[in-house]
Amino acid sequence: MEATASKQLEASNLKVIKDEIGYELLMNKKFYQYGQYCTDGGLKQLCNEASNIHKNNFNNLKTYLDSHQ
């Protein structure tokens, strides 16, 4: 019974993780869009890399959250 209880997140931690997931999603979308606007190849690559980093952060947080349900 204790193993199940310890796997669940407290409400305050859950809110923080949900907020972070939202921020990562927003930053992923913004950097992707900035990359679409860029004409400079180096800047476009930088924006795409940043978008991918935020996408990975989002996926990692979602995986963590899913593992605690």
Side-chain angles (χ1 to χ4, degrees):
M1 184 176 236
E2 286 183 28
T4 306
S6 66
K7 192 171 182 179
Q8 290 189 353
L9 297 172
E10 293 181 14
S12 59
N13 291 338
L14 183 61
K15 182 181 179 342
V16 170
I17 292 172
K18 283 186 176 183
D19 288 346
E20 286 298 319
I21 285 176
Y23 298 144
E24 293 296 341
L25 179 62
L26 179 63
M27 294 307 295
N28 175 25
K29 289 180 178 180
K30 282 187 175 189
F31 276 113
Y32 177 80
Q33 192 65 46
Y34 295 154
Q36 297 299 306
Y37 293 146
C38 291
T39 55
D40 178 83
L43 192 54
K44 184 180 199 79
Q45 180 180 353
L46 187 64
C47 289
N48 289 334
E49 288 173 5
S51 175
N52 288 333
I53 288 170
H54 288 290
K55 183 178 181 179
N56 288 338
N57 291 345
F58 172 88
N59 289 333
N60 290 339
L61 285 168
K62 184 163 182 341
T63 300
Y64 178 79
L65 190 59
D66 289 344
S67 73
H68 285 79
Q69 290 186 355

Coordinates of all heavy atoms in Angstrom, one line a residue:
M1 N 0.8 -1.2 0.0 CA 0.0 0.0 0.0 C 0.9 1.3 0.0 O 0.5 2.2 -0.7 CB -0.9 0.0 1.2 CG -1.9 1.1 1.2 SD -3.1 1.0 2.6 CE -4.6 1.1 1.6
E2 N 2.0 1.3 0.7 CA 2.8 2.4 0.8 C 3.5 2.7 -0.6 O 3.7 3.8 -0.9 CB 3.9 2.2 1.8 CG 3.4 2.4 3.2 CD 4.5 2.3 4.3 OE1 5.7 2.6 3.9 OE2 4.2 1.9 5.4
A3 N 3.8 1.7 -1.3 CA 4.5 1.8 -2.6 C 3.5 2.6 -3.6 O 4.0 3.4 -4.3 CB 4.9 0.5 -3.2
T4 N 2.2 2.3 -3.5 CA 1.3 3.0 -4.4 C 1.1 4.4 -3.9 O 1.1 5.3 -4.8 CB -0.1 2.3 -4.3 OG1 0.1 0.9 -4.6 CG2 -1.1 2.9 -5.3
A5 N 1.1 4.7 -2.7 CA 0.9 6.0 -2.2 C 2.1 6.9 -2.5 O 2.0 8.1 -2.8 CB 0.6 6.0 -0.7
S6 N 3.3 6.3 -2.4 CA 4.5 7.1 -2.6 C 4.7 7.5 -4.1 O 5.4 8.4 -4.5 CB 5.8 6.4 -2.1 OG 6.0 5.2 -2.9
K7 N 4.1 6.7 -5.0 CA 4.2 6.9 -6.4 C 3.4 8.1 -6.9 O 3.7 8.7 -7.9 CB 3.8 5.6 -7.2 CG 4.2 5.7 -8.6 CD 3.9 4.3 -9.3 CE 4.4 4.4 -10.8 NZ 4.2 3.2 -11.5
Q8 N 2.3 8.4 -6.2 CA 1.4 9.5 -6.6 C 2.1 10.8 -6.1 O 2.8 10.9 -5.1 CB 0.1 9.4 -5.9 CG -0.7 8.2 -6.6 CD -2.2 8.2 -6.1 OE1 -2.6 9.0 -5.2 NE2 -3.0 7.3 -6.7
L9 N 1.8 11.9 -6.9 CA 2.3 13.2 -6.6 C 1.4 14.0 -5.8 O 0.2 13.8 -5.9 CB 2.6 13.9 -7.9 CG 3.6 13.3 -8.9 CD1 3.5 14.1 -10.2 CD2 5.0 13.4 -8.3
E10 N 2.0 14.9 -4.9 CA 1.1 15.8 -4.1 C 0.5 16.8 -5.1 O 1.1 17.1 -6.1 CB 2.0 16.4 -3.1 CG 2.5 15.5 -2.0 CD 3.3 16.2 -0.9 OE1 3.3 17.4 -0.9 OE2 4.0 15.5 -0.2
A11 N -0.5 17.4 -4.7 CA -1.2 18.4 -5.5 C -0.4 19.6 -5.9 O -0.4 20.1 -7.0 CB -2.5 18.9 -4.8
S12 N 0.5 20.1 -4.9 CA 1.3 21.2 -5.2 C 2.4 20.9 -6.2 O 2.7 21.7 -7.1 CB 2.0 21.7 -3.9 OG 2.7 20.7 -3.3
N13 N 3.0 19.7 -6.1 CA 4.0 19.2 -7.1 C 3.3 19.0 -8.5 O 3.9 19.3 -9.5 CB 4.6 17.9 -6.7 CG 5.5 18.2 -5.4 OD1 6.0 19.3 -5.2 ND2 5.8 17.1 -4.7
L14 N 2.1 18.5 -8.5 CA 1.4 18.2 -9.7 C 1.2 19.6 -10.5 O 1.3 19.7 -11.7 CB 0.1 17.5 -9.4 CG -0.8 17.2 -10.6 CD1 0.0 16.2 -11.5 CD2 -2.1 16.6 -10.2
K15 N 0.8 20.6 -9.7 CA 0.5 21.9 -10.3 C 1.8 22.5 -10.9 O 1.8 23.0 -12.1 CB 0.0 22.9 -9.3 CG -0.3 24.2 -9.9 CD -0.9 25.2 -8.9 CE -1.2 26.6 -9.5 NZ -0.6 27.0 -10.7
V16 N 2.9 22.3 -10.2 CA 4.2 22.8 -10.7 C 4.6 22.1 -12.0 O 5.0 22.8 -13.0 CB 5.3 22.7 -9.7 CG1 6.7 23.0 -10.3 CG2 5.1 23.6 -8.5
I17 N 4.4 20.8 -12.1 CA 4.8 20.0 -13.3 C 3.8 20.4 -14.4 O 4.3 20.6 -15.5 CB 4.7 18.5 -13.0 CG1 5.9 18.2 -12.0 CG2 4.8 17.7 -14.2 CD1 5.8 16.8 -11.5
K18 N 2.6 20.6 -14.1 CA 1.6 21.0 -15.2 C 2.0 22.3 -15.7 O 1.9 22.6 -17.0 CB 0.2 20.9 -14.7 CG -0.4 19.5 -14.6 CD -1.8 19.5 -14.2 CE -2.4 18.1 -14.2 NZ -3.8 18.1 -14.0
D19 N 2.3 23.3 -14.9 CA 2.8 24.6 -15.3 C 4.0 24.5 -16.2 O 4.1 25.1 -17.3 CB 3.0 25.5 -14.1 CG 1.8 26.0 -13.4 OD1 0.7 25.8 -13.9 OD2 1.9 26.5 -12.3
E20 N 5.0 23.7 -15.8 CA 6.2 23.5 -16.6 C 5.9 22.9 -17.9 O 6.5 23.3 -18.9 CB 7.2 22.7 -15.8 CG 7.9 23.4 -14.7 CD 8.7 24.7 -15.1 OE1 9.4 24.6 -16.1 OE2 8.6 25.7 -14.4
I21 N 5.0 21.9 -18.0 CA 4.6 21.3 -19.2 C 4.0 22.4 -20.2 O 4.4 22.4 -21.4 CB 3.6 20.2 -19.0 CG1 4.4 19.0 -18.5 CG2 2.9 19.8 -20.3 CD1 3.5 17.8 -18.1
G22 N 3.2 23.3 -19.6 CA 2.6 24.3 -20.4 C 3.7 25.3 -20.9 O 3.6 25.7 -22.1
Y23 N 4.7 25.6 -20.1 CA 5.7 26.5 -20.5 C 6.6 25.9 -21.6 O 6.9 26.6 -22.6 CB 6.6 26.9 -19.3 CG 5.9 27.7 -18.2 CD1 6.3 27.4 -16.9 CD2 4.9 28.6 -18.5 CE1 5.7 28.1 -15.9 CE2 4.3 29.3 -17.5 CZ 4.7 29.0 -16.1 OH 4.1 29.7 -15.1
E24 N 6.9 24.6 -21.5 CA 7.7 24.0 -22.5 C 7.0 23.9 -23.8 O 7.6 24.1 -24.8 CB 8.1 22.6 -22.0 CG 9.1 22.6 -20.8 CD 10.4 23.2 -21.1 OE1 10.8 23.3 -22.2 OE2 11.1 23.6 -20.1
L25 N 5.7 23.6 -23.8 CA 4.9 23.5 -25.0 C 4.9 24.9 -25.7 O 5.1 25.0 -26.9 CB 3.5 23.1 -24.7 CG 2.5 23.0 -25.8 CD1 3.0 22.0 -26.8 CD2 1.1 22.6 -25.3
L26 N 4.7 26.0 -24.9 CA 4.7 27.3 -25.4 C 6.0 27.7 -26.1 O 6.0 28.2 -27.2 CB 4.3 28.3 -24.4 CG 4.2 29.8 -24.8 CD1 3.2 30.0 -25.8 CD2 4.0 30.7 -23.6
M27 N 7.1 27.4 -25.4 CA 8.4 27.7 -25.9 C 8.7 26.9 -27.1 O 9.4 27.4 -28.1 CB 9.5 27.6 -24.8 CG 9.3 28.5 -23.6 SD 9.2 30.3 -24.1 CE 10.8 30.5 -24.8
N28 N 8.3 25.7 -27.2 CA 8.5 24.8 -28.3 C 7.8 25.5 -29.5 O 8.4 25.6 -30.6 CB 8.0 23.4 -28.1 CG 8.0 22.5 -29.3 OD1 8.8 22.7 -30.2 ND2 7.2 21.6 -29.4
K29 N 6.6 25.9 -29.4 CA 5.8 26.5 -30.5 C 6.4 27.8 -30.9 O 6.5 28.1 -32.1 CB 4.4 26.7 -30.0 CG 3.6 25.4 -29.9 CD 2.1 25.7 -29.5 CE 1.3 24.5 -29.4 NZ -0.1 24.7 -29.0
K30 N 6.8 28.6 -29.9 CA 7.4 29.9 -30.3 C 8.7 29.8 -31.0 O 8.9 30.4 -32.1 CB 7.7 30.8 -29.0 CG 6.5 31.4 -28.4 CD 6.8 32.3 -27.3 CE 5.6 33.0 -26.8 NZ 5.9 34.1 -25.8
F31 N 9.6 28.9 -30.6 CA 10.9 28.8 -31.3 C 10.7 28.2 -32.6 O 11.4 28.5 -33.6 CB 11.9 28.0 -30.4 CG 12.6 28.9 -29.4 CD1 12.5 28.7 -28.1 CD2 13.5 29.8 -29.9 CE1 13.1 29.5 -27.2 CE2 14.2 30.6 -29.0 CZ 14.0 30.5 -27.6
Y32 N 9.7 27.2 -32.7 CA 9.4 26.7 -34.1 C 9.0 27.8 -35.0 O 9.4 27.8 -36.2 CB 8.4 25.6 -33.9 CG 8.0 25.0 -35.3 CD1 8.8 24.0 -35.9 CD2 6.8 25.4 -35.9 CE1 8.5 23.5 -37.1 CE2 6.5 24.9 -37.2 CZ 7.3 24.0 -37.8 OH 7.0 23.5 -39.0
Q33 N 8.1 28.6 -34.5 CA 7.6 29.7 -35.4 C 8.7 30.7 -35.7 O 8.8 31.1 -36.9 CB 6.4 30.4 -34.6 CG 5.6 31.4 -35.5 CD 4.9 30.6 -36.6 OE1 4.3 29.6 -36.4 NE2 5.0 31.1 -37.9
Y34 N 9.5 31.0 -34.7 CA 10.6 31.9 -35.0 C 11.5 31.4 -36.1 O 12.0 32.1 -37.0 CB 11.5 32.2 -33.8 CG 10.7 32.9 -32.6 CD1 11.1 32.8 -31.3 CD2 9.6 33.8 -32.9 CE1 10.5 33.4 -30.3 CE2 9.0 34.4 -31.9 CZ 9.4 34.2 -30.6 OH 8.8 34.9 -29.6
G35 N 11.8 30.1 -36.0 CA 12.6 29.4 -37.0 C 12.0 29.5 -38.4 O 12.7 29.6 -39.4
Q36 N 10.7 29.4 -38.5 CA 10.0 29.6 -39.8 C 10.1 31.0 -40.4 O 10.2 31.1 -41.6 CB 8.5 29.2 -39.6 CG 8.2 27.8 -39.2 CD 8.7 26.8 -40.2 OE1 8.4 26.9 -41.4 NE2 9.5 25.9 -39.7
Y37 N 10.2 32.0 -39.5 CA 10.4 33.4 -40.0 C 11.8 33.7 -40.4 O 12.0 34.6 -41.1 CB 10.0 34.3 -38.9 CG 8.5 34.3 -38.5 CD1 8.1 34.5 -37.2 CD2 7.5 34.0 -39.5 CE1 6.7 34.5 -36.9 CE2 6.2 34.0 -39.1 CZ 5.8 34.3 -37.9 OH 4.4 34.3 -37.5
C38 N 12.8 33.0 -39.8 CA 14.2 33.4 -40.0 C 14.6 33.1 -41.5 O 14.3 32.1 -42.0 CB 15.1 32.6 -39.1 SG 14.9 33.1 -37.4
T39 N 15.4 34.0 -42.0 CA 16.0 33.8 -43.3 C 17.5 33.5 -43.2 O 18.1 32.9 -44.1 CB 15.8 35.1 -44.2 OG1 16.4 36.2 -43.5 CG2 14.4 35.3 -44.5
D40 N 18.1 33.9 -42.1 CA 19.5 33.6 -41.8 C 19.6 32.1 -41.4 O 18.9 31.7 -40.4 CB 20.0 34.5 -40.7 CG 21.5 34.2 -40.3 OD1 22.4 34.7 -41.0 OD2 21.7 33.5 -39.3
G41 N 20.4 31.4 -42.1 CA 20.6 29.9 -41.8 C 21.0 29.6 -40.4 O 20.5 28.7 -39.8
G42 N 22.0 30.3 -39.9 CA 22.5 30.1 -38.5 C 21.4 30.4 -37.5 O 21.3 29.6 -36.5
L43 N 20.7 31.4 -37.6 CA 19.6 31.8 -36.7 C 18.5 30.8 -36.8 O 17.9 30.4 -35.7 CB 19.1 33.2 -36.9 CG 18.3 33.9 -35.9 CD1 18.9 33.8 -34.5 CD2 18.0 35.3 -36.3
K44 N 18.2 30.4 -38.0 CA 17.1 29.4 -38.2 C 17.5 28.1 -37.5 O 16.6 27.5 -36.8 CB 16.9 29.2 -39.7 CG 15.8 28.2 -40.0 CD 15.7 28.1 -41.5 CE 14.3 27.6 -42.0 NZ 13.3 28.6 -42.0
Q45 N 18.7 27.7 -37.6 CA 19.2 26.4 -37.0 C 19.1 26.6 -35.4 O 18.7 25.6 -34.7 CB 20.6 26.1 -37.4 CG 21.1 24.8 -36.8 CD 22.5 24.5 -37.2 OE1 23.1 25.1 -38.1 NE2 23.1 23.5 -36.6
L46 N 19.5 27.7 -34.9 CA 19.5 27.9 -33.5 C 18.0 27.9 -33.0 O 17.8 27.2 -31.9 CB 20.1 29.3 -33.2 CG 20.3 29.7 -31.7 CD1 21.3 28.7 -31.1 CD2 20.8 31.1 -31.6
C47 N 17.1 28.5 -33.7 CA 15.7 28.4 -33.3 C 15.2 27.0 -33.3 O 14.4 26.6 -32.4 CB 14.9 29.3 -34.1 SG 15.1 31.1 -33.9
N48 N 15.5 26.3 -34.3 CA 15.1 24.9 -34.5 C 15.7 24.0 -33.4 O 15.0 23.1 -32.8 CB 15.4 24.3 -35.8 CG 14.6 24.9 -36.9 OD1 13.5 25.4 -36.7 ND2 15.1 24.9 -38.1
E49 N 16.9 24.2 -33.0 CA 17.5 23.5 -31.9 C 16.8 23.8 -30.6 O 16.6 22.9 -29.8 CB 19.0 23.8 -31.8 CG 19.9 23.2 -32.9 CD 21.3 23.7 -32.9 OE1 21.7 24.4 -32.0 OE2 22.0 23.3 -33.8
A50 N 16.5 25.1 -30.4 CA 15.8 25.5 -29.1 C 14.4 24.8 -29.1 O 14.0 24.4 -28.0 CB 15.7 27.0 -29.0
S51 N 13.8 24.8 -30.2 CA 12.5 24.2 -30.3 C 12.5 22.7 -29.9 O 11.7 22.2 -29.2 CB 11.9 24.3 -31.7 OG 10.7 23.6 -31.9
N52 N 13.6 22.0 -30.5 CA 13.7 20.6 -30.2 C 14.1 20.4 -28.7 O 13.6 19.4 -28.1 CB 14.8 20.0 -31.0 CG 14.3 19.8 -32.5 OD1 13.2 19.7 -32.7 ND2 15.3 19.9 -33.4
I53 N 14.8 21.2 -28.1 CA 15.1 21.1 -26.7 C 13.9 21.2 -25.8 O 13.6 20.4 -24.9 CB 16.2 22.2 -26.2 CG1 17.6 21.8 -26.8 CG2 16.2 22.3 -24.7 CD1 18.6 22.9 -26.7
H54 N 13.0 22.2 -26.2 CA 11.8 22.4 -25.4 C 10.8 21.2 -25.7 O 10.1 20.8 -24.8 CB 11.2 23.7 -25.7 CG 11.9 24.9 -25.1 ND1 11.9 25.1 -23.7 CD2 12.7 25.8 -25.7 CE1 12.7 26.2 -23.5 NE2 13.2 26.6 -24.6
K55 N 10.9 20.7 -26.9 CA 10.0 19.5 -27.2 C 10.5 18.3 -26.3 O 9.6 17.6 -25.8 CB 10.1 19.2 -28.7 CG 9.2 18.0 -29.1 CD 9.3 17.8 -30.6 CE 8.4 16.7 -31.0 NZ 8.5 16.5 -32.5
N56 N 11.8 18.1 -26.2 CA 12.3 17.0 -25.4 C 12.0 17.2 -23.9 O 11.6 16.3 -23.2 CB 13.8 16.9 -25.6 CG 14.2 16.3 -26.9 OD1 13.4 15.6 -27.6 ND2 15.4 16.6 -27.4
N57 N 12.1 18.5 -23.5 CA 11.7 18.8 -22.1 C 10.3 18.4 -21.8 O 9.9 17.9 -20.8 CB 12.0 20.2 -21.7 CG 13.5 20.5 -21.7 OD1 14.3 19.7 -21.6 ND2 13.8 21.8 -21.7
F58 N 9.4 18.8 -22.8 CA 8.0 18.6 -22.6 C 7.7 17.0 -22.6 O 7.0 16.6 -21.7 CB 7.2 19.1 -23.9 CG 5.8 18.7 -23.9 CD1 4.8 19.5 -23.3 CD2 5.4 17.6 -24.7 CE1 3.5 19.1 -23.4 CE2 4.1 17.2 -24.7 CZ 3.1 18.0 -24.1
N59 N 8.4 16.3 -23.5 CA 8.2 14.8 -23.5 C 8.7 14.2 -22.2 O 8.0 13.3 -21.7 CB 8.9 14.2 -24.7 CG 8.1 14.6 -26.0 OD1 6.9 14.8 -26.0 ND2 8.9 14.6 -27.1
N60 N 9.8 14.7 -21.7 CA 10.4 14.1 -20.5 C 9.4 14.4 -19.3 O 9.2 13.5 -18.4 CB 11.7 14.7 -20.2 CG 12.8 14.2 -21.1 OD1 12.6 13.1 -21.8 ND2 13.9 14.9 -21.3
L61 N 8.9 15.6 -19.2 CA 8.0 15.9 -18.1 C 6.7 15.1 -18.2 O 6.2 14.6 -17.2 CB 7.6 17.4 -18.1 CG 8.7 18.3 -17.6 CD1 8.4 19.8 -17.9 CD2 8.9 18.1 -16.1
K62 N 6.2 14.9 -19.4 CA 5.0 14.2 -19.6 C 5.2 12.7 -19.3 O 4.3 12.1 -18.6 CB 4.5 14.3 -21.1 CG 3.2 13.6 -21.3 CD 2.5 14.0 -22.5 CE 1.2 13.3 -22.8 NZ 0.8 12.2 -22.1
T63 N 6.3 12.2 -19.6 CA 6.6 10.8 -19.3 C 6.7 10.6 -17.8 O 6.2 9.7 -17.2 CB 8.0 10.4 -19.9 OG1 7.8 10.4 -21.3 CG2 8.4 8.9 -19.5
Y64 N 7.4 11.6 -17.1 CA 7.5 11.5 -15.6 C 6.1 11.6 -15.0 O 5.7 10.9 -14.1 CB 8.3 12.7 -15.2 CG 8.4 12.8 -13.7 CD1 9.3 11.9 -13.0 CD2 7.6 13.7 -12.9 CE1 9.4 12.0 -11.6 CE2 7.7 13.7 -11.5 CZ 8.6 12.9 -10.9 OH 8.7 12.9 -9.5
L65 N 5.2 12.5 -15.5 CA 3.9 12.7 -15.0 C 3.1 11.4 -15.2 O 2.4 10.9 -14.3 CB 3.2 13.9 -15.7 CG 1.9 14.3 -15.1 CD1 2.0 14.7 -13.7 CD2 1.4 15.5 -16.0
D66 N 3.2 10.8 -16.4 CA 2.4 9.6 -16.7 C 2.9 8.4 -15.8 O 2.1 7.6 -15.5 CB 2.6 9.2 -18.2 CG 1.9 10.2 -19.1 OD1 1.0 10.9 -18.7 OD2 2.2 10.1 -20.3
S67 N 4.1 8.4 -15.5 CA 4.6 7.3 -14.6 C 4.2 7.4 -13.2 O 4.3 6.5 -12.4 CB 6.2 7.3 -14.7 OG 6.7 8.3 -13.9
H68 N 3.6 8.5 -12.8 CA 3.1 8.7 -11.4 C 1.6 8.8 -11.3 O 1.1 9.3 -10.4 CB 3.8 10.0 -10.8 CG 5.2 9.8 -10.5 ND1 6.2 9.9 -11.4 CD2 5.8 9.6 -9.3 CE1 7.3 9.7 -10.8 NE2 7.1 9.5 -9.6
Q69 N 1.0 8.2 -12.3 CA -0.5 8.2 -12.2 C -1.0 6.8 -11.8 O -0.4 5.8 -11.9 CB -1.1 8.6 -13.5 CG -0.9 10.0 -13.8 CD -1.7 10.4 -15.1 OE1 -2.2 9.6 -15.8 NE2 -1.6 11.7 -15.4

